[in-house]
Amino acid sequence: DQQVKQNSPSLSVQEGRISILNCDYTNSMFDYFLWYKKYPAEGPTFLISISSIKDKNEDGRFTVFLNKSAKHLSLHIVPSQPGDSAVYFCAAIKNSNYQLIWGAGTKLIIKP
Amino acid sequence: DADVTQTPRNRITKTGKRIMLECSQTKGHDRMYWYRQDPGLGLRLIYYSFDVKDINKGEISDGYSVSRQAQAKFSLSLESAIPNQTALYFCATSKRSQETQYFGPGTRLLVL
């Protein structure tokens, strides 16, 4: 049973516009949610996180929104740049065991 | 220099062979992890270690073993490789009591 789901395998966005990546989860006991970015032939790189007690966290062009009632989070990238083209993974963690549970990833393509 | 290194980066082996994947880190983190990634799936946890004397099974530990030789080194062994262990393998580290994990570049393993 997938506890963290990213239902869009890919997303194409025009350069300069907003990219919105979505993630759903089933376990209400998760304490933190994280977004990672992955380029080909590299390991995932941490991007931004949010605690379950917050509903928004912002870092430069990246903002993560958490809707606990809907068990849904989203990553907004504004404005989108060509270097943002990568696979984005959503992950969740329970503080009790520090094990990350990962979504399958969404491939973001930024078109010039 | 990379903080988390993995060797080898690519490996081809035959069914039944024993192989070892190695991970080293210079981040000074206590915790280390091994994950595998299969196409279309998120990362899945194989084993994790919270310190040199603390080794724990993850979600998919069958067919794998690990050794934490020192705080900075964590190796993954496939005692008798089988084709469905063909995957991308990642090592990661984290600080005690922090949710963010930092990843190595990955090892691409092909079992024929």
Side-chain angles (χ1 to χ4, degrees):
Chain A
D1 181 33
Q2 273 188 290
Q3 297 186 62
V4 178
K5 297 181 184 179
Q6 294 176 258
N7 292 318
S8 298
S10 65
L11 175 67
S12 187
V13 174
Q14 202 73 35
E15 181 179 358
R17 307 294 288 266
I18 182 170
S19 294
I20 300 176
L21 298 116
N22 294 304
C23 179
D24 297 297
Y25 62 96
T26 57
N27 190 337
S28 59
M29 301 300 291
F30 287 132
D31 296 298
Y32 270 95
F33 301 89
L34 302 91
W35 284 94
Y36 280 79
K37 175 180 179 179
K38 184 182 179 305
Y39 293 118
E42 294 184 13
T45 303
F46 171 72
L47 197 55
I48 191 169
S49 65
I50 187 167
S51 165
S52 62
I53 63 173
K54 296 188 174 181
D55 54 20
K56 178 182 175 181
N57 188 27
E58 191 172 354
D59 183 3
R61 295 187 298 115
F62 303 92
T63 303
V64 57
F65 295 93
L66 176 62
N67 182 334
K68 287 189 290 293
S69 61
K71 294 192 177 69
H72 177 84
L73 65 156
S74 60
L75 174 68
H76 293 211
I77 306 173
V78 180
S80 300
Q81 298 174 354
D84 296 331
S85 294
V87 177
Y88 288 79
F89 290 97
C90 169
I93 194 167
K94 288 188 285 188
N95 283 343
S96 57
N97 63 18
Y98 287 93
Q99 293 186 43
L100 279 174
I101 308 298
W102 296 73
T106 297
K107 183 175 184 178
L108 177 63
I109 301 165
I110 305 301
K111 300 179 292 186
Chain B
D1 286 340
D3 296 318
V4 184
T5 57
Q6 292 184 234
T7 55
R9 293 295 312 276
N10 294 280
R11 178 75 184 266
I12 300 174
T13 191
K14 294 182 179 179
T15 298
K17 293 290 188 181
R18 182 182 188 275
I19 68 159
M20 180 183 290
L21 309 183
E22 299 189 359
C23 177
S24 295
Q25 54 119 343
T26 59
K27 299 183 80 67
H29 289 171
D30 296 306
R31 300 180 173 190
M32 297 186 75
Y33 311 80
W34 275 104
Y35 291 91
R36 68 176 275 176
Q37 186 191 9
D38 297 279
L41 297 179
L43 279 69
R44 291 183 293 166
L45 185 63
I46 306 172
Y47 270 94
Y48 61 104
S49 169
F50 282 178
D51 65 40
V52 174
K53 296 181 181 179
D54 180 22
I55 306 288
N56 303 282
K57 292 183 178 181
E59 178 188 354
I60 52 164
S61 59
D62 287 349
Y64 302 95
S65 62
V66 291
S67 174
R68 184 84 184 264
Q69 300 94 324
Q71 189 203 38
K73 295 184 182 297
F74 193 36
S75 59
L76 176 72
S77 294
L78 287 67
E79 297 300 327
S80 178
I82 56 176
N84 76 0
Q85 291 177 312
T86 292
L88 192 51
Y89 289 84
F90 290 105
C91 173
T93 73
S94 70
K95 280 186 182 179
R96 189 189 308 270
S97 301
Q98 289 195 3
E99 69 280 358
T100 305
Q101 295 180 16
Y102 299 87
F103 285 80
T107 295
R108 189 170 295 278
L109 176 66
L110 173 61
V111 183
L112 300 174

